[in-house]
Amino acid sequence: QLSSNPPKAVVSTQSTGGDVLWVIWHPLVPILLAGAVDGGVWMWKVPAFETKTIQLSSNPPVDAKFLSTNRHLVVGYQDGTIKIIDLKSGEATVSVDTKQEITCIGVSPDDKLVLTGSPLSAAYLVAIQAGKVISRLTEHPAGYRPMETSPSDSVEHVVFHPSRNLVAVSYTDNKVCLWDTALQRLRHTLPHPDGVVKSCWAGEALHLVTCCLDGVIRVWDVDQNQTIAEVTGHRDQLLDMKISDNLVVTADDSGHVKVFRIS
């Protein structure tokens, strides 16, 4: 468990665009990026904290991922728009309207596909060069609308496998679905006791690590469709995790951050 006694901010900054929805570091250079509810994408050069703002929409940018070139940022806006932004010019080189509310996005390793999550249990596969939606990935028929009394089945997170035509889609209704992006069909469903907020592939192998609201990290053998390890230690709902080699860093609803080693 990580702690600082007392906690101390090394430096602080803020956007003027309202609440911050996400924060990510540039993979290669010390630049911090954040999305604000007013539609702006903010960039700060660290440690000088020189500021640049990219304002291409008035809709909240709910998620963002880098392309493999690290010069372009894919941003998914709540209204269903995907924009690929050239960070140097601040202009959008591609803009696609999926016409579906976006909750999260993922980008394929070859930069050819974007997958968007929606609040209604569906994920939409977008071909970047064609600039259009090519498939709707869901277990429900077209026109599906949950009953008002039904539990949420929103898509919380999507992640492509680093080398296979496979994407893991995490849902709030207690499951992760593994979709074949080439055949555009469901391969496996991994059941959980509670909603799943994030999934990460553990390297090139078909091992998937899932972060569940029940406070447990699970490691799955996707080929066998079964768990091979469970990591416990949190008493509250898990909100996020990050994998680095054989380390898993987790954060829960009570403000605790913990580091686990998995093999």
Side-chain angles (χ1 to χ4, degrees):
Q1 183 171 330
L2 302 181
S3 62
S4 176
N5 190 19
K8 181 181 179 182
V10 178
V11 67
S12 64
T13 186
Q14 65 180 26
S15 82
T16 58
D19 291 345
V20 174
L21 302 175
W22 48 264
V23 177
I24 56 174
W25 285 101
H26 190 285
L28 299 179
V29 294
I31 292 177
L32 185 66
L33 297 95
V37 293
D38 70 344
V41 175
W42 289 70
M43 300 170 58
W44 294 278
K45 187 176 181 180
V46 180
F49 276 92
E50 300 168 2
T51 305
K52 178 179 180 179
T53 309
I54 300 173
Q55 189 82 44
L56 299 179
S57 174
S58 60
N59 283 281
V62 294
D63 200 2
K65 298 289 188 296
F66 278 97
L67 292 183
S68 61
T69 62
N70 296 316
R71 295 191 296 269
H72 293 82
L73 188 71
V74 184
V75 180
Y77 293 87
Q78 190 178 59
D79 68 343
T81 305
I82 300 170
K83 295 183 185 294
I84 299 181
I85 301 173
D86 183 318
L87 293 178
K88 184 175 182 179
S89 69
E91 299 296 325
T93 59
V94 175
S95 182
V96 180
D97 185 1
T98 68
K99 303 186 185 304
Q100 304 293 332
E101 183 179 343
I102 291 176
T103 56
C104 57
I105 65 170
V107 179
S108 64
D110 61 6
D111 295 341
K112 293 182 179 179
L113 299 171
V114 173
L115 189 68
T116 68
S118 79
L120 297 178
S121 193
Y124 293 85
L125 198 60
V126 178
I128 293 177
Q129 289 186 340
K132 65 179 183 180
V133 176
I134 59 174
S135 184
R136 174 177 176 266
L137 306 180
T138 181
E139 298 177 285
H140 299 289
Y144 162 75
R145 289 277 174 180
M147 297 176 61
E148 291 186 4
T149 56
S150 299
S152 170
D153 55 1
S154 171
V155 175
E156 288 295 291
H157 185 260
V158 297
V159 59
F160 285 84
H161 190 275
S163 60
R164 305 200 185 193
N165 295 323
L166 198 62
V167 63
V169 181
S170 303
Y171 301 82
T172 55
D173 63 338
N174 309 359
K175 67 187 178 186
V176 174
C177 287
L178 304 174
W179 294 89
D180 187 315
T181 56
L183 300 177
Q184 297 167 16
R185 71 182 187 191
L186 182 64
R187 285 262 306 266
H188 297 295
T189 298
L190 309 178
H192 288 69
D194 209 336
V196 183
V197 296
K198 192 171 185 179
S199 302
C200 296
W201 294 102
E204 299 288 330
L206 285 176
H207 290 162
L208 184 72
V209 184
T210 61
C211 177
C212 186
L213 289 174
D214 69 347
V216 178
I217 297 291
R218 292 173 176 84
V219 184
W220 296 80
D221 183 327
V222 171
D223 268 339
Q224 301 298 321
N225 199 25
Q226 64 182 14
T227 55
I228 55 177
E230 292 189 353
V231 181
T232 60
H234 285 276
R235 296 181 180 179
D236 291 275
Q237 291 183 334
L238 289 175
L239 302 181
D240 201 2
M241 73 170 176
K242 183 73 174 179
I243 292 181
S244 178
D245 297 325
N246 64 337
L247 296 179
V248 179
V249 182
T250 56
D252 69 21
D253 197 30
S254 65
H256 290 89
V257 175
K258 297 187 177 184
V259 181
F260 300 96
R261 187 182 303 277
I262 58 174
S263 58

